[in-house]
Amino acid sequence: MGITKSHIFTVKENKLAKYAKALGHPARISILKLLAKKQACVCGDIVDELPLSQSTVSQHLKELKEAGLIKGDIEGASVCYCIDEKEWKNAQASINQLFDSYKDKVGSCC
Amino acid sequence: MGITKSHIFTVKENKLAKYAKALGHPARISILKLLAKKQACVCGDIVDELPLSQSTVSQHLKELKEAGLIKGDIEGASVCYCIDEKEWKNAQASINQLFDSYKDKVGSCC
DNA sequence: AATGGTAATCGTAATATTGCGATTAGATTA
DNA sequence: TAATCTAATCGCAATATTACGATTACCATT
């Protein structure tokens, strides 16, 4: 139905999925890389760096903001976007917890 | 247009986004956790663990397989699903590379 | 050969995503 | 105040995702 049955999963699973979903688009990866390098913090600079329209970039920024990965401070007429340090680390830790839960195979199947 | 302009991004960015997208649903997180713990390797066991229909689980498994994170070996009538060790490590490394590219803020903006 | 179990696929419906042009709201400058 | 610049939002179209029941294909038993 295009709608996820979130209630049957844990809060933690949903939060992790939300982080991952935000990372699940190359444009958003690209934006985050720009923000990480701090070469572009102002929205307009991001638009200039990517071959996407202003409205499209704005929407991607909105999704990253809703996932919690970034935050935007209004600076006069423009908006300064930055990575949310706390959530960024939290996301990394959550993802690594999943990856690390897999111990090297001992044989069994496959 | 609901279709991603993949060609304007790098292969690496697209690959990372693909991994993240696969992780972007709580059901798939849940499945991967089961596989990581090896409590469920056979498809049927996964279906039993989750309150989702067989066809829905099968579809999620397909997406995880297409992203490369898991593989399935046919064992008689049933199918044994396991994490693809190599791709798993590759995915973790790619994601961490992005996260680690952000150095703690020194001030600038936000 | 007939039956039963397992898992992929098909078809369908509801909803979400991606992308853009156009418009709008706020701040800045002339 | 008028003109301008910035970024969010609206409206739309194309496509993708999520979910399920039904069907199908394939093993394994009987």
Side-chain angles (χ1 to χ4, degrees):
Chain A
M1 307 170 182
I3 193 159
T4 298
K5 296 169 96 181
S6 313
H7 61 285
I8 66 175
F9 303 105
T10 67
V11 172
K12 213 173 168 184
E13 284 167 344
N14 279 300
K15 184 69 179 167
L16 175 48
K18 199 175 173 187
Y19 284 138
K21 196 173 186 180
L23 298 175
H25 194 286
R28 292 193 288 270
I29 295 288
S30 202
I31 289 170
L32 289 172
K33 278 165 76 177
L34 287 173
L35 293 185
K37 282 193 298 181
K38 295 228 212 132
Q39 292 181 348
C41 215
V42 175
C43 179
D45 292 348
I46 301 169
V47 174
D48 291 343
E49 294 280 342
L50 298 176
L52 291 171
S53 75
Q54 180 266 322
S55 58
T56 301
V57 171
S58 190
Q59 203 170 331
H60 282 304
L61 286 168
K62 189 184 175 189
E63 274 162 66
L64 287 170
K65 205 161 63 177
E66 276 169 4
L69 293 171
I70 67 170
K71 53 187 174 178
D73 279 10
I74 298 169
E75 290 196 351
S78 53
V79 178
C80 170
Y81 280 103
C82 288
I83 283 171
D84 186 312
E85 207 165 328
K86 200 176 164 186
E87 289 252 38
W88 187 253
K89 285 179 178 170
N90 188 41
Q92 183 172 22
S94 303
I95 290 174
N96 276 311
Q97 194 181 330
L98 171 67
F99 277 110
D100 290 336
S101 70
Y102 173 73
K103 307 292 171 202
D104 292 335
K105 253 198 313 267
V106 250
S108 58
C109 57
C110 305
Chain B
M1 306 169 181
I3 195 162
T4 298
K5 295 169 100 182
S6 313
H7 61 285
I8 66 175
F9 303 104
T10 67
V11 172
K12 214 173 168 183
E13 285 167 344
N14 279 300
K15 183 69 178 167
L16 175 48
K18 199 175 173 187
Y19 284 139
K21 197 173 185 180
L23 297 177
H25 193 286
R28 293 194 286 272
I29 295 288
S30 202
I31 289 170
L32 289 172
K33 277 165 77 178
L34 286 173
L35 293 185
K37 282 194 297 181
K38 296 228 213 134
Q39 290 182 349
C41 215
V42 175
C43 179
D45 293 348
I46 300 168
V47 174
D48 291 342
E49 294 280 342
L50 299 177
L52 291 171
S53 73
Q54 180 267 320
S55 59
T56 301
V57 171
S58 190
Q59 201 170 332
H60 282 304
L61 286 168
K62 189 184 174 189
E63 273 162 67
L64 287 170
K65 204 161 64 176
E66 276 169 5
L69 293 171
I70 67 170
K71 53 187 173 178
D73 278 11
I74 298 169
E75 289 196 352
S78 52
V79 177
C80 170
Y81 280 103
C82 288
I83 283 170
D84 186 312
E85 207 165 327
K86 200 175 164 186
E87 289 253 38
W88 188 254
K89 286 179 178 170
N90 188 41
Q92 183 172 22
S94 302
I95 290 175
N96 275 310
Q97 194 181 330
L98 171 66
F99 277 110
D100 290 336
S101 71
Y102 172 73
K103 307 292 172 203
D104 293 334
K105 255 199 311 264
V106 250
S108 57
C109 57
C110 305

